[in-house]
Amino acid sequence: MKRVGKTIVFDSPPYVLSSAGIVGKKEGEGPLGLFFDKIINDGYFGEKTWEKAESRFLRTAIDEALKKASLKYHDIDVLLSGDLLNQCCASTFACVDMSIPFLGLFGACSTMAEGLVIGSVLVESGAVGKAICSASSHYCSAERQFRFPLGYGAQRAPTAQWTTTAAGAFILGYDSTQSSKICITHALIGTPCDLGIKDAANMGAAMAPSAYNSLRQFFADTNTTFGDYDIVATGDLGQVGFDMVTELFLRDGVTELANYNDCGLLIFDIDKQDVHAGGSGCGCSASVGASYIMHRLRNGDWKKAVLASTGALMSPTSAQQGSNIVGVTHIVSFEVRA
Amino acid sequence: MKRVGKTIVFDSPPYVLSSAGIVGKKEGEGPLGLFFDKIINDGYFGEKTWEKAESRFLRTAIDEALKKASLKYHDIDVLLSGDLLNQCCASTFACVDMSIPFLGLFGACSTMAEGLVIGSVLVESGAVGKAICSASSHYCSAERQFRFPLGYGAQRAPTAQWTTTAAGAFILGYDSTQSSKICITHALIGTPCDLGIKDAANMGAAMAPSAYNSLRQFFADTNTTFGDYDIVATGDLGQVGFDMVTELFLRDGVTELANYNDCGLLIFDIDKQDVHAGGSGCGCSASVGASYIMHRLRNGDWKKAVLASTGALMSPTSAQQGSNIVGVTHIVSFEVRA
């Protein structure tokens, strides 16, 4: 592997051996419903708490991805995972019985791409044979942790987004049977960006500058632009952040923006589903990436895709102490190879 | 790089270009006081909150390590960091103004070794040139988050440990001037281990089985044992966990345990400093590793050292919901090369 600018270029790109996205009822009713591997209508997923339910969504995504690749836990050398819960507990309790070496990540909603960046390097370098990269979020566990207990029925701001109840998992490795054609060709580690946003009901605005910075760097390093990919998807900027990124590129004279999209806008019909500015959460880009984007690449509709997962690095404590909300955006690009 | 068993073996081991450990007053009064780069007597470190103070400890460790290597922020390609605060906020706000690409980690108190494992792979593979790996903890921010507000003056159990107010940072890379002789030769990603411990006042017992499992695997893969290293240091098992690991190896017939130690026992004089079972926290193995262990290797006292940072994966919410405390132990080995 080599570096061009800040971008990691894989000489022997690791393959996506399989992937799976599992979502809740509301996400299943959205425009991408048909693409998800499983839709779980019960928010508790048979568990006693939302936190345990989130672990089960994540575990189900991992199990589903393994099943599709005919792999077992013992075939996997490392599991990279993260989520929004304090101390990343959804990931811990999803994987505790799997006996797979585990690297816990915290990238807020950028975690899916963060895991894919590190996982790709681990696989291409030979440090591991096969890696699972995964992430999850749950509307109910996130709301009560970051905002208000759901029972309060607090009113949401128009700029607020709806944390997706969703999980996604990718299995990376080399495929001796050549049954997988999708590989990860490039990766970029994002740099935290703080433009002074403090409004926790406007995460799109907090993350948009980092998305713009990371994408601009990535395009410069790879000498590409939006039109060179079938989709360039940010993670969960929602309508507010999406419009900001669009405006920033337009100011640069980049007008070919037809292939730019956002997983938070793809997963919900924001006019009909009462989700205000769109979807969010680690599970948003994880499930849309692992299900919808991989499906379009796998069936030949698309040849190249960029996933730029966007994260807002903050906690209720940091917000209460007056700290800004810091954005970060990690990027991976996928390509179908014959 | 290659894999032997579950251990990553570096063909071109990355070097520790520099390292620094910064601690609070109590840690500075302990047996290792002379080895730390800075001792900060003010628990607030001039900030308004303990959380912001923790960020400043971490930032100071990073800045100190950079100064020792005559490097600037823009010389660094990635910063890996994590801590115990919700959503790893100590790390976020330590690094937000550095403009360094950032990978947030959550491994609880195993974070220092987790960062060194990933950082070493990133450097050896060529994905990045230079990496900073860092971690922090703060007694006051941890107590109020995980246990009780300090103002309650709650009584502590004899098995409880004292979260260190400390941060450590390592800079990894290749040294064209050959001024650094310490390299990272091996790394092992730990597997989560749950033996049913639920007592948050006995983290040593929760983490000890994972330390034993990881060390046993590492020794088998590298065909070594305790006696092959000048020190094999677990992260923060304290007296209870240390005794358990000792007993488990004795049962296996391993009796050469003189070089086994624990950073949580090294950093405090547990008979005199009223810390009950010993030190803990991400900052424990981070500061002891970055200061004391690196010092002994650098000045020629030691040739080989193993750092096995131990983590307890849990949150107050998971504990309240009756979940067990899951242990994980990541390992790196250091060697002085001529």
Side-chain angles (χ1 to χ4, degrees):
Chain A
M1 112 193 40
K2 59 179 172 289
R3 275 173 77 81
V4 176
K6 289 181 187 285
T7 300
I8 302 163
V9 183
F10 297 108
D11 296 318
S12 307
Y15 282 78
V16 177
L17 302 183
S18 75
S19 63
I22 311 294
V23 299
K25 182 168 183 284
K26 193 179 185 83
E27 293 72 18
E29 290 165 353
L32 303 185
L34 283 171
F35 295 96
F36 296 117
D37 293 86
K38 277 189 181 171
I39 297 165
I40 309 300
N41 287 323
D42 169 19
Y44 281 104
F45 206 158
E47 302 288 337
K48 283 192 175 167
T49 69
W50 292 318
E51 289 76 15
K52 291 185 180 186
E54 185 177 337
S55 286
R56 194 162 170 195
F57 272 92
L58 183 52
R59 193 162 56 243
T60 305
I62 293 168
D63 287 345
E64 205 60 28
L66 285 165
K67 201 168 78 182
K68 286 159 87 170
S70 303
L71 293 168
K72 305 282 185 196
Y73 294 146
H74 63 76
D75 295 315
I76 305 299
D77 298 315
V78 68
L79 169 60
L80 301 110
S81 191
D83 54 84
L84 294 173
L85 297 187
N86 295 343
Q87 286 73 49
C88 295
C89 272
S91 295
T92 295
F93 294 101
C95 76
V96 65
D97 294 323
M98 294 180 182
S99 287
I100 303 176
F102 174 71
L103 294 171
L105 306 178
F106 180 75
C109 306
S110 73
T111 301
M112 190 66 255
E114 180 182 357
L116 289 167
V117 171
I118 301 175
S120 300
V121 172
L122 289 169
V123 167
E124 214 233 25
S125 67
V128 305
K130 292 185 178 68
I132 294 177
C133 308
S134 59
S136 67
S137 55
H138 192 300
Y139 175 73
C140 302
S141 62
E143 282 298 306
R144 74 168 167 185
Q145 182 182 273
F146 287 98
R147 282 165 285 262
F148 299 100
L150 284 180
Y152 285 13
Q155 199 164 4
R156 297 155 56 78
T159 53
Q161 294 170 243
W162 189 278
T163 306
T164 54
T165 299
F170 289 76
I171 303 180
L172 305 185
Y174 292 108
D175 183 5
S176 55
T177 64
Q178 296 284 315
S179 64
S180 168
K181 307 288 184 203
I182 306 169
C183 58
I184 295 183
T185 57
H186 300 78
L188 178 104
I189 302 169
T191 301
C193 179
D194 171 16
L195 289 192
I197 300 286
K198 288 180 192 284
D199 181 1
N202 192 358
M203 295 291 194
M207 299 187 288
S210 79
Y212 166 72
N213 285 347
S214 287
L215 284 170
R216 198 177 48 162
Q217 179 76 45
F218 180 79
F219 289 146
D221 293 344
T222 54
N223 196 22
T224 60
T225 184
F226 291 97
D228 293 305
Y229 304 92
D230 297 291
I231 189 171
V232 173
T234 43
D236 56 344
L237 296 180
Q239 194 65 57
V240 177
F242 177 82
D243 289 347
M244 287 174 69
V245 168
T246 302
E247 188 183 328
L248 287 163
F249 276 106
L250 285 172
R251 283 192 198 176
D252 286 349
V254 178
T255 51
E256 252 192 71
L257 288 158
N259 295 344
Y260 175 41
N261 218 317
D262 181 76
C263 299
L265 293 174
L266 285 162
I267 198 166
F268 291 125
D269 182 330
I270 65 167
D271 294 326
K272 292 187 188 154
Q273 288 190 285
D274 192 26
V275 292
H276 297 239
S280 68
C282 305
C284 184
S285 68
S287 64
V288 172
S291 290
Y292 175 64
I293 296 177
M294 289 306 108
H295 178 88
R296 299 294 298 266
L297 289 169
R298 204 171 287 122
N299 77 357
D301 296 342
W302 292 345
K303 293 287 179 207
K304 290 175 89 174
V306 165
L307 184 67
S309 299
T310 40
L313 305 174
M314 54 83 69
S315 76
T317 304
S318 72
Q320 284 157 12
Q321 293 183 359
S323 299
N324 296 338
I325 300 171
V326 180
V328 71
T329 302
H330 304 293
I331 296 180
V332 285
S333 69
F334 299 94
E335 194 176 313
V336 179
R337 296 209 167 167
Chain B
M1 100 195 50
K2 58 179 174 287
R3 277 174 76 80
V4 177
K6 289 181 188 284
T7 300
I8 301 164
V9 183
F10 296 108
D11 296 318
S12 307
Y15 282 77
V16 178
L17 303 184
S18 75
S19 63
I22 312 293
V23 300
K25 183 168 183 284
K26 194 179 184 84
E27 294 72 18
E29 290 165 352
L32 303 185
L34 283 172
F35 294 96
F36 297 117
D37 293 85
K38 278 190 180 171
I39 298 164
I40 310 299
N41 287 322
D42 169 19
Y44 281 105
F45 207 159
E47 302 288 339
K48 282 192 176 166
T49 69
W50 292 318
E51 289 76 14
K52 291 186 181 187
E54 185 177 337
S55 285
R56 194 163 169 193
F57 272 93
L58 183 52
R59 193 163 57 242
T60 305
I62 293 167
D63 286 345
E64 206 59 28
L66 284 165
K67 201 167 77 180
K68 287 159 86 169
S70 302
L71 293 169
K72 304 282 183 196
Y73 294 146
H74 62 76
D75 295 315
I76 305 298
D77 298 316
V78 69
L79 170 60
L80 301 109
S81 191
D83 54 84
L84 294 172
L85 297 187
N86 294 344
Q87 286 74 47
C88 294
C89 273
S91 295
T92 296
F93 294 102
C95 76
V96 64
D97 294 323
M98 295 181 182
S99 288
I100 304 176
F102 174 71
L103 294 171
L105 306 178
F106 181 74
C109 306
S110 74
T111 301
M112 190 65 255
E114 180 183 358
L116 289 167
V117 171
I118 300 175
S120 300
V121 173
L122 289 170
V123 168
E124 213 232 25
S125 67
V128 304
K130 293 186 178 69
I132 293 177
C133 309
S134 59
S136 68
S137 55
H138 192 300
Y139 175 73
C140 302
S141 63
E143 281 299 304
R144 75 168 167 185
Q145 183 182 273
F146 286 99
R147 283 165 282 263
F148 298 100
L150 284 179
Y152 285 13
Q155 200 164 4
R156 296 156 56 78
T159 53
Q161 295 171 243
W162 188 278
T163 306
T164 54
T165 299
F170 291 75
I171 303 180
L172 306 184
Y174 293 108
D175 184 5
S176 54
T177 64
Q178 296 284 317
S179 63
S180 170
K181 307 288 184 203
I182 306 169
C183 58
I184 296 183
T185 57
H186 300 78
L188 178 102
I189 302 169
T191 300
C193 178
D194 171 16
L195 289 192
I197 301 285
K198 288 180 192 285
D199 181 1
N202 192 359
M203 294 292 194
M207 299 187 288
S210 79
Y212 167 72
N213 285 347
S214 288
L215 283 171
R216 198 176 48 164
Q217 178 76 45
F218 179 79
F219 289 146
D221 292 344
T222 54
N223 196 23
T224 59
T225 183
F226 291 97
D228 293 305
Y229 303 92
D230 297 289
I231 189 170
V232 173
T234 43
D236 58 344
L237 295 180
Q239 195 65 57
V240 177
F242 177 81
D243 290 346
M244 287 174 69
V245 169
T246 302
E247 187 183 329
L248 287 163
F249 276 106
L250 285 171
R251 283 192 198 176
D252 286 349
V254 178
T255 51
E256 253 193 71
L257 288 159
N259 296 345
Y260 174 41
N261 217 317
D262 181 75
C263 299
L265 294 174
L266 285 163
I267 198 167
F268 291 126
D269 182 330
I270 66 167
D271 294 326
K272 293 185 186 155
Q273 289 190 284
D274 192 27
V275 293
H276 297 240
S280 66
C282 305
C284 185
S285 67
S287 64
V288 172
S291 291
Y292 176 63
I293 296 177
M294 288 307 107
H295 178 87
R296 299 293 299 266
L297 289 169
R298 205 172 286 122
N299 77 357
D301 295 343
W302 292 346
K303 293 287 179 208
K304 290 174 88 174
V306 165
L307 184 66
S309 299
T310 39
L313 305 174
M314 54 84 69
S315 76
T317 305
S318 73
Q320 284 157 12
Q321 293 183 359
S323 298
N324 296 338
I325 299 170
V326 179
V328 71
T329 302
H330 304 293
I331 296 180
V332 284
S333 69
F334 299 93
E335 194 175 313
V336 178
R337 296 210 168 166

